[in-house]
Amino acid sequence: MNDKDIPILKALRDYSNEDIAYFHTPGHKGGNAFRKIGFEPFDKDLLSLDVTEVPGVDNLHCPETSIKEAQELAAQAFGAKHTFFLVNGTTGGIYSMILAATNPGDKIIIPRNCHKSVIGAVILARLQPIYISPELDTILSIASGISPTAVKKAIIEHPDAKVVVITSPTYYGVCSDLEQISKLAHDNKMLLLVDEAHGAHFGFHSDLPKTALQCGADMVAQSTHKTLPSMTQSSMMHVKSDKVNIDKLKFFLQLTQSTSPSHILLASLDTARYIMQQKGEELLKDIADECNCLRDEVNNTSDLYCLSKTDIGRDGIFDIDNTRITINFSKLGLSGTAVDEILRSKFKLQVEMSDLYNIVAICTVGDNAESVKRLSKAIRTIAKEQGIGLNQIESPSLGAIIAMPSMILEPWEAVYQSKEDVPIDNCIGRICGEMIVPYPPGIPIIMPGEIISKDVIDYALDCSRKGIKMNGMKDASLKYISVIK
């Protein structure tokens, strides 16, 4: 590997090697603060690269040298016209692309199972959300993909909407038919924005689903740190359309991101791009093959069910991510959260997430055959030892997952209303003043400004009882809900 192939890393190393006395941020001064007291949990070389926007290192918000070159290299690698590095995670990218594509008061078509950052952008931009329901996966008991039919219906009913936002893939690895959805949006002069947080790796192997850009998306936000080898909180946004106002987008990227971006995060994005360009296809093939073996072993185990390519065509599943493992344990009478705890405590394995029914394990180029085989063996052992004699788990109403309660106030209006905390048993029929978000996966089950139903309360309480944390609420214990006075 040659430093010149990774321009941000080269700039940081060059600066570190100049033996400069640091009279600038950050406060650890190239790691000296830790070395002075003999504290060495941080790698010296890593901290020596953690600098600010000094000459020779470049500035994320007006890149001219290494960052500009790195973003151009990333645009080539991901098939974009413009690529922007993100240090506030994909959330900052979602905020920026929605704010750039709309004006206050605009209608925006979004999936009911979108990530809470999409709702955050709707609130910040003061938009009118038009919700579309995902399909329901009745086997896994999850919200699935968005059908082109649902998008078409929303467009016909709201032809004045400016933007369609789709989440694909979902947290569970389910992809929607983005090519058809893109055509529908563009035929009606709307932009298609895709939250592709969990699909940054798609473009580096032909057996994986097509990327959102390949399917015609105008703007895409990806969590590079989730499925590619960059550091946590580092992401990218890609633009392929000439219809996007790039100057407006750059303004909102500066508005929603730190004015002190981490150059280590930026260098990790640059490095991840380089690794995937050089070795991505080979590394992804190896891990996808191991994942497919795991799927076969799990699906050959009585009462276990693992999402696979054979599911394509049902319940809104247009395609799936081969490297994501979604396993349902409901027939064994085990909740996903219970399996998650067993895997961690007994087998020293930590999966990405668990819900009422499933676990989700993310496999990337950082995994190997041994680790995937460990996971497969542990799951089959749990099925053999833990599931004997148990009854199928009882499911709360699936409708609560994608319920569309009556919206009395726009989300942004509700945020600014006076509120009061009311015991949860007394909240049915009241207007919600906050988001209720089981986390993971981070999908709100009710938004500010909507009427609280019994189904929503029952689902939230069931999630909480099974160990799923509530996010977005003042009282995460669910004793109270903040409602509009």
Side-chain angles (χ1 to χ4, degrees):
M1 181 179 71
N2 193 315
D3 268 7
K4 69 179 178 61
D5 296 320
I6 311 173
I8 297 178
L9 184 61
K10 180 180 185 302
L12 292 174
R13 279 182 167 168
D14 287 349
Y15 183 72
S16 174
N17 291 335
E18 283 190 59
D19 195 26
I20 292 171
Y22 291 11
F23 290 98
H24 57 71
T25 59
H28 59 70
K29 300 302 180 87
N32 287 337
F34 299 101
R35 288 190 289 276
K36 284 173 69 175
I37 61 172
F39 187 65
E40 299 179 352
F42 294 108
D43 179 78
K44 171 185 177 295
D45 292 335
L46 181 67
L47 289 181
S48 71
L49 303 179
D50 185 22
V51 298
T52 191
E53 297 95 335
V54 292
V57 169
D58 210 1
N59 187 322
L60 177 64
H61 296 307
C62 51
E64 298 176 326
T65 55
S66 62
I67 296 175
K68 181 176 183 289
E69 183 183 354
Q71 290 185 151
E72 289 170 351
L73 288 169
Q76 294 171 19
F78 287 88
K81 289 186 176 180
H82 307 275
T83 289
F84 300 93
F85 285 2
L86 308 172
V87 294
N88 282 26
T90 301
T91 293
I94 287 172
Y95 287 173
S96 298
M97 69 181 185
I98 290 177
L99 285 160
T102 60
N103 293 319
D106 283 350
K107 289 182 180 179
I108 180 171
I109 297 171
I110 59 176
R112 187 64 192 189
N113 63 328
C114 64
H115 188 264
K116 67 175 187 174
S117 59
V118 175
I119 303 302
V122 167
I123 291 170
L124 289 172
R126 299 193 173 199
L127 303 175
Q128 182 180 345
I130 307 300
Y131 296 113
I132 44 179
S133 292
E135 301 293 307
L136 280 176
D137 186 324
T138 53
I139 296 176
L140 298 173
S141 299
I142 60 172
S144 185
I146 298 291
S147 73
T149 301
V151 176
K152 183 177 182 179
K153 181 174 184 292
I155 290 174
I156 290 172
E157 293 175 354
H158 300 276
D160 53 340
K162 299 296 175 62
V163 171
V164 177
V165 177
I166 299 292
T167 302
S168 184
T170 67
Y171 214 153
Y172 300 91
V174 174
C175 299
S176 298
D177 186 351
L178 292 180
E179 285 186 293
Q180 286 299 314
I181 293 172
S182 172
K183 186 176 187 307
L184 285 167
H186 294 154
D187 285 350
N188 289 275
K189 297 181 172 51
M190 299 177 188
L191 293 179
L192 174 62
L193 315 183
V194 178
D195 173 2
E196 199 175 28
H198 292 270
H201 57 304
F202 281 2
F204 296 98
H205 196 280
S206 57
D207 286 343
L208 293 172
K210 285 185 177 180
T211 70
L213 290 181
Q214 289 170 337
C215 292
D218 298 285
M219 283 191 279
V220 174
Q222 294 178 339
S223 295
T224 318
H225 67 96
K226 284 186 169 72
T227 60
L228 296 183
S230 71
M231 295 178 71
T232 297
Q233 202 173 306
S234 62
S235 297
M236 295 187 195
M237 175 190 287
H238 307 293
V239 180
K240 196 170 184 179
S241 172
D242 293 329
K243 298 173 185 176
V244 173
N245 185 329
I246 294 296
D247 290 334
K248 188 178 179 183
L249 176 61
K250 288 179 178 179
F251 172 80
F252 282 115
L253 282 167
Q254 291 189 41
L255 205 65
T256 58
Q257 294 206 89
S258 171
T259 55
S260 301
S262 165
H263 282 75
I264 291 179
L265 295 183
L266 297 174
S268 79
L269 286 169
D270 199 14
T271 305
R273 181 272 312 162
Y274 175 80
I275 290 171
M276 296 309 294
Q277 276 190 306
Q278 299 300 313
K279 294 284 187 179
E281 185 170 1
E282 172 189 334
L283 294 171
L284 282 169
K285 181 184 185 307
D286 291 344
I287 199 61
D289 288 346
E290 293 298 330
C291 288
N292 287 332
C293 288
L294 182 150
R295 278 192 189 84
D296 291 341
E297 290 170 349
V298 169
N299 281 329
N300 286 330
T301 302
S302 178
D303 292 330
L304 288 182
Y305 189 88
C306 185
L307 188 67
S308 71
K309 289 282 190 182
T310 61
D311 291 298
I312 292 173
R314 69 165 183 83
D315 295 341
I317 302 173
F318 181 76
D319 205 348
I320 71 154
D321 175 4
N322 286 349
T323 64
R324 185 151 304 211
I325 305 297
T326 299
I327 303 174
N328 183 276
F329 292 83
S330 59
K331 288 185 179 179
L332 289 172
L334 290 171
S335 68
T337 50
V339 174
D340 188 343
E341 195 280 328
I342 295 168
L343 285 169
R344 177 61 181 267
S345 61
K346 183 175 179 179
F347 297 95
K348 306 301 178 189
L349 296 166
Q350 180 60 61
V351 295
E352 166 67 16
M353 68 157 282
S354 56
D355 62 19
L356 295 179
Y357 323 96
N358 312 285
I359 63 165
V360 175
I362 296 177
C363 298
T364 74
V365 296
D367 288 292
N368 55 40
E370 180 185 357
S371 62
V372 178
K373 285 181 170 62
R374 274 184 65 196
L375 177 61
S376 178
K377 183 178 179 181
I379 289 166
R380 288 178 285 121
T381 300
I382 291 171
K384 182 178 179 182
E385 296 179 354
Q386 303 289 331
I388 297 172
L390 295 176
N391 296 317
Q392 185 166 346
I393 192 168
E394 205 172 298
S395 303
S397 170
L398 276 180
I401 300 173
I402 58 161
M404 285 201 260
S406 299
M407 184 170 64
I408 306 302
L409 298 168
E410 303 287 354
W412 70 267
E413 292 177 308
V415 167
Y416 293 101
Q417 295 288 321
S418 296
K419 302 175 184 67
E420 60 181 341
D421 296 336
V422 173
I424 191 167
D425 292 338
N426 298 330
C427 285
I428 295 174
R430 297 294 299 269
I431 302 173
C432 196
E434 57 189 355
M435 279 191 270
I436 301 179
V437 188
Y439 209 96
I443 297 169
I445 56 175
I446 191 166
M447 319 293 186
E450 295 179 341
I451 296 291
I452 300 170
S453 68
K454 185 176 184 300
D455 277 350
V456 165
I457 288 176
D458 288 347
Y459 187 80
L461 289 172
D462 204 26
C463 286
S464 184
R465 281 192 294 268
K466 291 182 169 66
I468 296 171
K469 305 297 183 184
M470 289 296 128
N471 202 309
M473 304 179 65
K474 284 174 62 177
D475 177 26
S477 68
L478 285 179
K479 292 184 178 67
Y480 298 87
I481 296 177
S482 180
V483 300
I484 306 299
K485 282 186 176 180

